[in-house]
Amino acid sequence: KEREDCNCSPPGKELIMNTNNVGIFTEEIIVKGSNTKTKDGEKVRVVGYTRYSSDNQSENSTYYQSNAIKSYCKAKGYRIIRMYSDKAKTGTNGNRTEFQKMLNAAGNNPPWTKIIVFSYSRYFRNTAGATTIEAKLNSLGIELVSITQNFDNTPEGRLMKRFTYTM
């Protein structure tokens, strides 16, 4: 069953993106023993965000990022609600269609609590913009998670994360 631009996946299904970036629902596989339940016993719901920056880069970049995000979420037992993807868009500002849709959804009491990215540089490549938006997301109870960069919430970890936005 295929549905484009859907806001959530049906129970027991997981949203994946095919090579044409069309959402496809498939059976979820949950890793037993993973601590992925919310207080009310529901699985943690997340969205994914992918981006590549120029026409010189391959669209496979977002496909690879999506697959990596899906594998990470599968291993964590997270339920992917939606994937957002911007193609040939710079990360130095927030003027990205799918990025803005994701932020607008975040401000409207979404059914998800995490944004999963391949790396922080796919989310933003400008420290001031990145930290401002991340602080707003955190105030809304939404956590930004990179699957390739695990920085803790210590002063050192926060500093290292800020460096990644400039790379």
Side-chain angles (χ1 to χ4, degrees):
K1 185 175 185 180
E2 291 188 11
R3 297 193 325 196
E4 286 189 48
D5 195 34
C6 68
N7 291 325
C8 61
S9 56
K13 303 286 183 179
E14 175 184 18
L15 177 66
I16 64 167
M17 306 303 281
N18 69 13
T19 56
N20 296 322
N21 217 30
V22 174
I24 300 173
F25 294 102
T26 62
E27 295 299 321
E28 286 181 292
I29 299 173
I30 305 304
V31 176
K32 291 190 179 203
S34 58
N35 186 15
T36 59
K37 302 286 185 184
T38 61
K39 289 180 184 176
D40 61 1
E42 289 289 316
K43 287 175 40 179
V44 173
R45 295 180 217 159
V46 303
V47 296
Y49 178 74
T50 65
R51 178 187 67 80
Y52 72 88
S53 57
S54 75
D55 290 325
N56 295 330
Q57 290 180 315
S58 168
E59 190 171 322
N60 288 334
S61 174
T62 55
Y63 181 71
Y64 174 77
Q65 291 172 55
S66 290
N67 282 338
I69 289 169
K70 288 181 288 184
S71 293
Y72 174 87
C73 290
K74 181 177 172 181
K76 292 284 191 182
Y78 294 163
R79 180 177 172 199
I80 299 174
I81 300 296
R82 179 171 175 178
M83 292 294 294
Y84 294 90
S85 184
D86 282 306
K87 297 179 176 87
K89 299 290 182 181
T90 182
T92 58
N93 63 55
N95 297 333
R96 296 171 261 155
T97 304
E98 289 295 301
F99 186 74
Q100 287 300 317
K101 285 180 183 178
M102 181 179 67
L103 294 181
N104 287 336
N108 289 304
N109 195 25
W112 39 271
T113 58
K114 296 179 189 293
I115 297 172
I116 311 295
V117 296
F118 181 77
S119 71
Y120 291 116
S121 68
R122 300 297 85 204
Y123 158 73
F124 229 102
R125 292 186 74 93
N126 171 306
T127 303
T131 54
T132 300
I133 292 173
E134 187 173 2
K136 177 65 175 170
L137 290 170
N138 289 337
S139 75
L140 296 168
I142 297 170
E143 179 184 5
L144 178 66
V145 177
S146 165
I147 65 170
T148 59
Q149 299 156 312
N150 187 17
F151 301 119
D152 57 23
N153 201 24
T154 63
E156 295 84 7
R158 290 190 299 272
L159 179 63
M160 291 302 297
K161 183 191 283 188
R162 286 181 180 205
F163 282 136
T164 65
Y165 295 133
T166 61
M167 301 166 87

